[in-house]
Amino acid sequence: MSETIRLTCAQALVRYLAALRGRDADQEDSVPLFGGVFAIFGHGNVAGIGEALYGVRDRLPTFRAHNEQAMAHAAIAYAKTNMRRRMMAVTTSIGPGATNLVTAAALAHVNRLPVLLLPGDIFVSREPDPVLQQLEDFSDGTVSVNDCFRPVSRYFDRIVRPEQLLTALPRAVRALTDPALCGPVTLALPQDVQAEAYDFPLSFFEPREVVFRAPQPTDDELMSALDAIEVAERPVIIAGGGALYAKATSALLGFADRHGVPVCETQAGKGVFPWNHPLHLGPAGVSGSTAANALLRDADLVIAVGTRLQDFTTGSNALFRHVPILSVNVNGFDAMKGNGLEAIGDAAQVLDDISFGLEDWAAPEAWTTRAREAAGEWVDIVSRITGQREAPAGRLPYDGEVIGAVQRSSSRSTMDDIVVCAAGTLPAELEKLWRTETPGGYHMEYGYSCMGYEIAGGLGVKMAAPDREVIVMVGDGSYLMMNSEIATSVMLDAKLIIVLLDNRGYGCINRLQQATGSAPFNNMFDDCVQGRHGAPLIDFAAHARSLGAIAEHVADIAGLEAAMERARAADRTYLISIDTDHTRTTDEGGAWWDVAVPEVSTRDAVREARAGYETAIVGRKARITPA
C-alpha cells in the first residue's frame, strides 16, 4: 500500500504546484515551473488556499496586488516574457474578485499564454445558501459566476471533492505547457472543499519535470512545403508570436540568409528578427511598413510562421491578394487559417528541416535585391521620423517623436530595454517605429488590445526580467482604467519607467470615429457631456507620486530626453507625463482595415464613408478571388 499524507484540498494543490519544474528538451537544468502566486484574499479563499499558501511561501511565493484583473495581467506578462516556459497562478475570493479575472482570461486565451486561475467558488454543501456574493440561477442550481470562465479557458474544472485534484492537476498542467493547447486554465475552488482533507498519495507531490518538446511535422507536410517554396519566385515570411515562443531567431536568420527570403513580422512576432537585418521588412498589415506591405502585395507565396493571421496582419484579408500560404504552426486550428498548406510543428524545427531540404535553392536575386532596397528605405523613414527632436511650430509632439526620444535615451543599444504597451494609438506607432534586436525586447499585448494591461503587464515583465529596463508606454485613457499596480511595483522593488502620453481622451478611437464619417463624440474630453466644472485637469505626475512612484511632467521632447536620464538613474518606478497631439499619426505605411460603416445615415459624411467602404469591399473581393 502506497504511503499517504493527509492534506486539505488547498494544501495539496499548492504543494503540487511548488514541486513542478520545467526545462527545454535541449537543456540540462530545470527551473521551478511556477514563479509564484498573485493573490487577493477574501471570504472565499483566505481560510483555504490563503492558509495553504502561507505554508509553502518559501518555495512558492505569494504576491499581493490591488486589482484582480491587473494581477492576472501581470501573471500573463510574466509567462510571455518567459516565452511560456514559466508561469504564475492567481487566486481570488468568490464573486466580484473572481469575475474580475474574466477579462484577463480572455486576453490569455486570445494570445495563447498560460496562467492558472484559482477563483473561489460557492459552497458545494449548500449549507449556507445563498452564501454572500452567490449568483442564484433560478433554473440551474449548479451555476455559479465562475461558469463565465468556461468559454475563456483552455481547460476548466470545478473541484467538488479533494481527490479530484489527482486527475485535474495533471490535465491543467498539460494545457498550460502544451505548445498547441497553451492558454488559461481555471480550477474553480468551492470554499468548503478548499478546507476538506483527503489522504493523498505521497508520490503525487514528488518533484516532477515538464519538458518542453518541439512538435515535428510529417514527411508529407515537409515535402509539400518544399514543393511550394521551390516554385516560388516572390516568397515572403511573416513571423508571429509562435516564432518567438519556439525561440526560432537563429533558424529564421539562417533561413533568410541562406535562401534570400525577406521577413516581416506581426505585433506578437516583433523582435524575433533583428530590425537592422538587410532582409527585415518591418511589420505587416494595417500598421505595417511600406516595405512589408508592398512586397506582400506582390508575393506569390506567404510563409506564415507561428502566426494566426489576425486581421491587422492580413489587412482584413485584403492585403495578400490571392496568394498561396504555407502555414508553419504548432496549432492545427491556427495553421488552417490561410486555407493553404500546413506544416504542423515547432517553428525553429520546421524552418531548419525545410532549409535542409531546399539545399542550395534561393529566391531569385531580383526579388531579394528588391527586398533589401525596400528594407533600407523603411529604415531611413523610421530614422527620419524618430529623429525629430521637436514638434512643428505651435503643435504638440506626437507619438512617433516621443518614441524616438525614448529610444535615444539609452546610452547603450536599446537591445537591453523591454518596451511594454497594449492599446490605443501607441501599438500602431510602436510596431512601425520601435527598434529591437532582442527577442522579447518588444512586449505588446495586441491580440486582445486590452486597455489597462500596460502597467500591470510591465510589472509582470519586470518580475520575469529584473535586470532589464522595462519601459511602459501608455496613453492617458489606459492609465485611467488601471494604474494601481504602480503601488505594487514600488512595494516589490520592481522598477518601471512609465512614459504617459496625455492627449486628453481616447484619441485613437476619435480618429477612427471621424474616418468612418461620424462626428467627434464621447471620446475626447472636449466632446463629452460635462457638468458645470467641465472636464478634469488631471495631474498624472501627482497621482503617480501618491502611489509611491517618482514622477514629473515635461513640456516637450527635450524635456522628455532629460527626464529619461533621470528615470534610468532612479531606484524605483518613475513616471513621466507629456502632452501629445491626438490628431497626428505616422502617415507612412499602413493598409486597409475593415471597420463597418452604417449603410443608412442622415449625415453626408457617413454616406461618403459608406461609399468608400463599399468600394474597398469590392476591391477586396476582386483581390481574393482566383482568376
Side-chain angles (χ1 to χ4, degrees):
M1 187 174 181
S2 62
E3 189 175 357
T4 62
I5 181 171
R6 191 160 185 81
L7 299 170
T8 68
C9 178
Q11 290 166 347
L13 189 156
V14 300
R15 185 166 179 165
Y16 182 90
L17 296 183
L20 292 169
R21 299 182 70 83
R23 66 175 176 86
D24 278 329
D26 60 352
Q27 294 178 328
E28 292 185 5
D29 297 330
S30 62
V31 296
L33 184 65
F34 281 85
V37 180
F38 269 106
I40 295 179
F41 296 132
H43 77 90
N45 67 344
V46 66
I49 198 168
E51 167 64 15
L53 285 169
Y54 180 82
V56 296
R57 65 192 184 282
D58 57 330
R59 291 172 288 152
L60 187 68
T62 299
F63 305 105
R64 180 192 180 281
H66 295 87
N67 177 285
E68 291 90 354
Q69 180 180 323
M71 70 183 185
H73 286 169
I76 294 163
Y78 178 90
K80 180 179 174 73
T81 305
N82 279 294
M83 303 302 175
R84 308 196 302 191
R85 269 60 168 189
R86 299 193 71 196
M87 57 206 67
M88 286 186 168
V90 174
T91 180
T92 71
S93 63
I94 66 175
T99 52
N100 277 353
L101 297 179
V102 174
T103 294
L107 182 151
H109 195 292
V110 168
N111 288 286
R112 282 74 165 138
L113 293 169
V115 61
L116 178 59
L117 306 176
L118 303 171
D121 211 328
I122 58 177
F123 279 69
V124 168
S125 69
R126 303 189 187 177
E127 288 293 329
D129 185 71
V131 70
L132 177 66
Q133 299 178 329
Q134 179 176 341
L135 175 148
E136 295 180 87
D137 188 306
F138 301 149
S139 62
D140 188 343
T142 69
V143 169
S144 85
V145 295
N146 286 340
D147 288 285
C148 296
F149 288 99
R150 292 181 184 273
V152 291
S153 298
R154 292 298 177 121
Y155 177 78
F156 176 92
D157 207 344
R158 179 175 281 112
I159 308 302
V160 298
R161 292 176 63 89
E163 59 266 37
Q164 288 178 340
L165 291 177
L166 294 170
T167 54
L169 281 173
R171 291 174 182 173
V173 172
R174 170 54 63 90
L176 289 165
T177 59
D178 185 282
L181 300 175
C182 188
V185 167
T186 300
L187 299 180
L189 303 174
Q191 66 171 298
D192 54 342
V193 178
Q194 289 181 42
E196 290 176 4
Y198 178 76
D199 294 321
F200 288 91
L202 198 59
S203 60
F204 188 61
F205 306 106
E206 292 178 356
R208 61 192 65 204
E209 196 173 68
V210 175
V211 179
F212 294 92
R213 295 182 175 88
Q216 306 292 316
T218 66
D219 290 342
D220 287 344
E221 288 172 342
L222 286 175
M223 291 303 299
S224 295
L226 290 172
D227 290 342
I229 295 172
E230 285 175 340
V231 299
E233 296 185 350
R234 300 181 303 280
V236 177
I237 293 172
I238 299 178
L244 272 173
Y245 304 140
K247 301 182 179 180
T249 291
S250 178
L252 196 56
L253 281 166
F255 191 97
D257 287 336
R258 182 176 181 183
H259 305 295
V261 179
V263 178
C264 56
E265 65 210 358
T266 70
Q267 281 279 21
K270 189 176 176 73
V272 72
F273 204 70
W275 72 270
N276 51 2
H277 190 281
L279 286 173
H280 180 251
L281 300 174
V286 174
S287 52
S289 71
T290 54
N293 288 348
L295 269 75
L296 283 169
R297 289 187 181 98
D298 290 343
D300 63 357
L301 177 68
V302 170
I303 305 172
V305 180
T307 171
R308 62 193 182 96
L309 296 174
Q310 182 235 30
D311 67 338
F312 251 64
T313 300
T314 66
S316 298
N317 292 321
L319 179 60
F320 303 164
R321 305 184 182 180
H322 187 67
V323 180
I325 294 176
L326 166 61
S327 190
V328 177
N329 207 298
V330 294
N331 188 307
F333 185 87
D334 287 333
M336 74 178 186
K337 287 178 180 171
N339 294 322
L341 297 173
E342 301 174 14
I344 308 297
D346 174 85
Q349 185 65 55
V350 174
L351 285 172
D352 282 343
D353 289 346
I354 292 175
S355 184
F356 179 81
L358 288 173
E359 297 180 338
D360 295 329
W361 177 90
E365 182 60 32
W367 179 248
T368 303
T369 299
R370 178 183 168 187
R372 290 195 183 100
E373 291 174 350
E377 291 169 0
W378 179 247
V379 167
D380 292 342
I381 290 171
V382 173
S383 296
R384 172 177 54 79
I385 294 169
T386 57
Q388 288 290 116
R389 292 181 177 266
E390 58 183 32
R395 303 292 296 272
L396 291 171
Y398 93 107
D399 301 44
E401 292 151 359
V402 172
I403 290 168
V406 172
Q407 289 221 286
R408 286 193 301 275
S409 70
S410 178
S411 58
R412 312 172 302 279
S413 163
T414 51
M415 64 183 299
D416 291 332
D417 293 343
I418 302 176
V419 67
V420 181
C421 191
T425 303
L426 275 166
E429 298 294 342
L430 284 164
E431 188 179 23
K432 287 181 180 181
L433 303 177
W434 188 263
R435 289 169 164 172
T436 184
E437 302 171 35
T438 307
Y442 182 83
H443 185 109
M444 180 66 67
E445 191 293 291
Y446 206 62
Y448 208 49
S449 187
C450 185
M451 295 179 70
Y453 174 90
E454 295 89 341
I455 293 171
L459 171 63
V461 173
K462 187 67 175 182
M463 294 175 74
D467 296 330
R468 306 276 293 276
E469 196 77 86
V470 177
I471 302 171
V472 175
M473 298 193 70
V474 61
D476 57 302
S478 274
Y479 181 92
L480 288 171
M481 280 195 178
M482 197 175 299
N483 52 60
S484 55
E485 302 321 316
I486 288 177
T488 308
S489 75
V490 173
M491 181 170 65
L492 295 178
D493 286 334
K495 177 199 166 187
L496 306 174
I497 296 176
I498 302 169
V499 181
L500 189 155
L501 289 73
D502 182 5
N503 63 21
R504 300 275 296 159
Y506 302 137
C508 177
I509 296 303
N510 179 66
R511 290 191 307 277
L512 181 61
Q513 183 177 54
Q514 293 179 78
T516 54
S518 297
F521 169 63
N522 205 50
N523 283 310
M524 308 308 293
F525 282 148
D526 290 343
D527 302 322
C528 298
V529 174
Q530 298 178 11
R532 58 191 178 89
H533 296 297
L537 296 175
I538 302 168
D539 187 338
F540 290 103
H543 181 268
R545 284 193 292 271
S546 75
L547 295 175
I550 306 169
E552 62 178 296
H553 179 80
V554 298
D556 51 27
I557 295 298
L560 174 59
E561 293 194 56
M564 284 297 300
E565 291 185 16
R566 293 188 286 274
R568 289 184 183 275
D571 63 353
R572 68 179 186 272
T573 292
Y574 199 114
L575 180 140
I576 307 164
S577 66
I578 182 171
D579 295 336
T580 56
D581 187 341
H582 73 274
T583 66
R584 297 170 58 206
T585 59
T586 297
D587 294 327
E588 291 82 356
W592 181 70
W593 187 36
D594 191 341
V595 178
V597 180
E599 197 168 348
V600 176
S601 175
T602 59
R603 291 175 48 81
D604 290 340
V606 174
R607 291 197 295 269
E608 291 174 6
R610 176 69 192 189
Y613 177 71
E614 290 175 354
T615 299
I617 291 293
V618 170
R620 176 174 67 178
K621 290 179 178 178
R623 286 191 292 273
I624 64 175
T625 302

